[in-house]
Amino acid sequence: MHTMKGLMMKAVLLLSIMSFYSFCSGASNSSNKIGVNYGRLGNNLPSPFESIQLLLSMKAGHVKLYDADPEVLKLLSDTDLHVTIMVTNQEISMIASNESHADAWIDDNVLAHYPSTKIRFILVGNEVFSYNDRQLWLDLVPAMRRIKRSLNKHQIHNIKVGTPLAMDALESTFPPSSARFRSSIPAEVIVPLMRFLNSTKSFFFVDVYTYFPWSVNPTNTSLDYALMKSGINETYKDPVSGLTYTNLLDQMLDSVHFAMQKLGFNNVRVAIAETGWPHDGDFDEPGANAYNAATYVSNLVAKVTSDPPIGTPAKPGIEIPTFVFSLYDENQKPGPGTERHWGLLSNTGSPIYEVDLTGTSHENNTKLSEPSNNGPYNGKIWCVVASTASPDDLGPALEFACRQGNGTCDQLAPGKECYEPISIVSHASYAFSSFWAQFRSAGASCYFGGLAVQTITDPGHGSCEFPSVLL
Ligand SMILES: *[C@@H]1O[C@H](CO)[C@@H](O)[C@H](O)[C@H]1NC(C)=O
Ligand SMILES: *[C@@H]1O[C@H](CO)[C@@H](O)[C@H](O)[C@H]1NC(C)=O
Ligand SMILES: *[C@@H]1O[C@H](CO)[C@@H](O)[C@H](O)[C@H]1NC(C)=O
Ligand SMILES: *[C@@H]1O[C@H](CO)[C@@H](O)[C@H](O)[C@H]1NC(C)=O
Ligand SMILES: *[C@@H]1O[C@H](CO)[C@@H](O)[C@H](O)[C@H]1NC(C)=O
Ligand SMILES: *[C@@H]1O[C@H](CO)[C@@H](O)[C@H](O)[C@H]1NC(C)=O
Ligand SMILES: *[C@@H]1O[C@H](CO)[C@@H](O)[C@H](O)[C@H]1NC(C)=O
């Protein structure tokens, strides 16, 4: 028994050493270097050439694209950056349906650039289980298999195939030992996925943000625990596993480990496809500031670039390939304010806060002022026309807002309290506030495609009172 166990331990060790080397693929230098997500949902971003120069000057080791853009891949061939490309969700079913489509995808997006462009991961789809599209779920693993088979046909063995999932792939993540995959994801999808990742020695890629669970309930979880501050006194002991946690990221990563273990897959390693902290956001989004973002990212980098690797309480000593989200603030991401403020760099390419991606210098926030928005906001918030919005664009948004809910724009009718001033900006601000006050609890953002922003300055005038959200 002991010998068997010893042998198995050695096999496991060998396995992890082998996958460690395949992650580095010869260049021991980029092994535990940090990766950066190069998202491009902005209309004001630096060119791909400048962006790659910036990634190099920041000493990133890996870059992850959300597609397989030929211009970007061509430019990357002049660098040592290791590259992750993605098959978009729209391409999955086509690739799953027909092997020649997978072959064509590999011809166009890999063979055209590899090996001079150091492509190391192909991620198939993005957060597929976050969309309620059963056909897409069923097509995911067949598409991954076809992509892998096409690579094999060309004897390409140092590109791994995975799929990044959001934490909503799990239910009951707390305590970590109780975690399991969401029961709405059929076994006929999740088990083959695990089998594929296990047999190809790939990674379970997860998008993991401590910011979200913390910000939903900022008074319940300690901010230091979410920011991975060292030397904090708050720890959490999982009553079932007996493991002690000193930060929320480990807790979330181990919930993934335990969910995989429940399906019988103990050795599939976790990689972080996205993580980060927003440096700005709306009034109702606590903790979104540069001070916290700098703290989180430095602590993250120190953890995941550490040599020897630290791992997590359930998987100590295991390296966790990690991509920070994101290179830039992306001004065309919809949703709440934080969505447009995940960048390490502003849209001009200048750093929003200082961060050393090599992990050699530790967190240093002395140049940043202490944040004032770490607690929940208490007071009224309105939703008004953004100063950057063009009045010409407001018509459709105003009409849309007024059509929703009950009596949303009654006060704007001739003779009513808010009829005057008769200006589209004034009327749209009222409509946005009235709409948002009714639908925020149902998940609506104060955004309207960039036409609206939150304000804590009462826009009401005279006897015209604007509806507000009271926090
Ligand atoms: C690693 O980097 C050092 C300098 O940064 C360089 O001298 C060395 O050749 C590199 N090693 C590999 C394997 O790339
Ligand atoms: C797959 O696609 C190719 C090229 O589009 C086509 O010639 C072939 O008939 C397809 N095979 C199947 C099984 O649909
Ligand atoms: C995982 O892969 C290993 C090695 O390829 C294999 O021995 C093991 O049975 C696989 N685990 C499962 C649960 O399929
Ligand atoms: C606070 O967090 C604990 C876990 O840390 C959880 O069990 C509890 O339900 C949370 N309370 C609220 C009000 O969310
Ligand atoms: C942790 O607790 C110890 C003893 O209770 C105390 O001396 C120390 O200051 C605390 N550290 C922090 C960071 O709160
Ligand atoms: C942090 O930065 C400030 C200003 O650049 C410097 O004076 C200080 O020594 C640094 N502290 C650490 C611990 O590196
Ligand atoms: C509008 O009013 C109707 C009838 O009073 C009610 O059933 C419905 O829920 C209301 N809708 C909203 C969005 O308040």
Side-chain angles (χ1 to χ4, degrees), residues 394-425:
L394 292 171
L398 168 62
E399 276 175 40
F400 169 84
C402 290
R403 273 200 308 274
Q404 316 301 314
N406 286 330
T408 303
C409 294
D410 283 1
Q411 291 301 314
L412 295 176
K416 292 292 179 100
E417 308 287 8
C418 301
Y419 180 57
E420 291 184 1
I422 311 168
S423 95
I424 186 143
V425 172

Side-chain angles (χ1 to χ4, degrees), residues 138-263:
L138 293 171
D139 287 340
L140 175 63
V141 179
M144 293 171 76
R145 285 203 200 101
R146 287 201 194 279
I147 289 287
K148 184 71 186 167
R149 206 173 300 144
S150 299
L151 291 170
N152 288 345
K153 281 184 200 165
H154 297 283
Q155 312 297 324
I156 298 175
H157 300 298
N158 66 346
I159 300 182
K160 289 190 186 295
V161 178
T163 185
L165 299 175
M167 284 299 286
D168 68 0
L170 305 187
E171 59 190 14
S172 68
T173 58
F174 185 81
S177 62
S178 77
R180 54 184 67 248
F181 287 104
R182 220 168 67 212
S183 49
S184 60
I185 304 169
E188 68 197 281
V189 172
I190 196 76
V191 174
L193 174 60
M194 293 311 307
R195 232 179 253 138
F196 174 87
L197 297 176
N198 180 56
S199 66
T200 61
K201 299 182 175 47
S202 185
F203 294 80
F204 187 101
F205 279 86
V206 63
D207 295 343
V208 56
Y209 292 95
T210 63
Y211 174 72
F212 292 126
W214 174 80
S215 65
V216 166
N217 198 344
T219 47
N220 195 17
T221 316
S222 137
L223 178 59
D224 288 350
Y225 190 74
L227 292 174
M228 291 198 283
K229 285 209 178 158
S230 55
I232 63 167
N233 283 335
E234 297 95 336
T235 59
Y236 169 73
K237 186 168 176 185
D238 186 318
V240 178
S241 68
L243 297 169
T244 296
Y245 290 90
T246 57
N247 66 75
L248 186 53
L249 182 69
D250 278 346
Q251 208 183 293
M252 294 171 83
L253 292 174
D254 272 356
S255 66
V256 176
H257 286 128
F258 280 107
M260 294 198 290
Q261 204 179 76
K262 288 211 178 72
L263 294 179

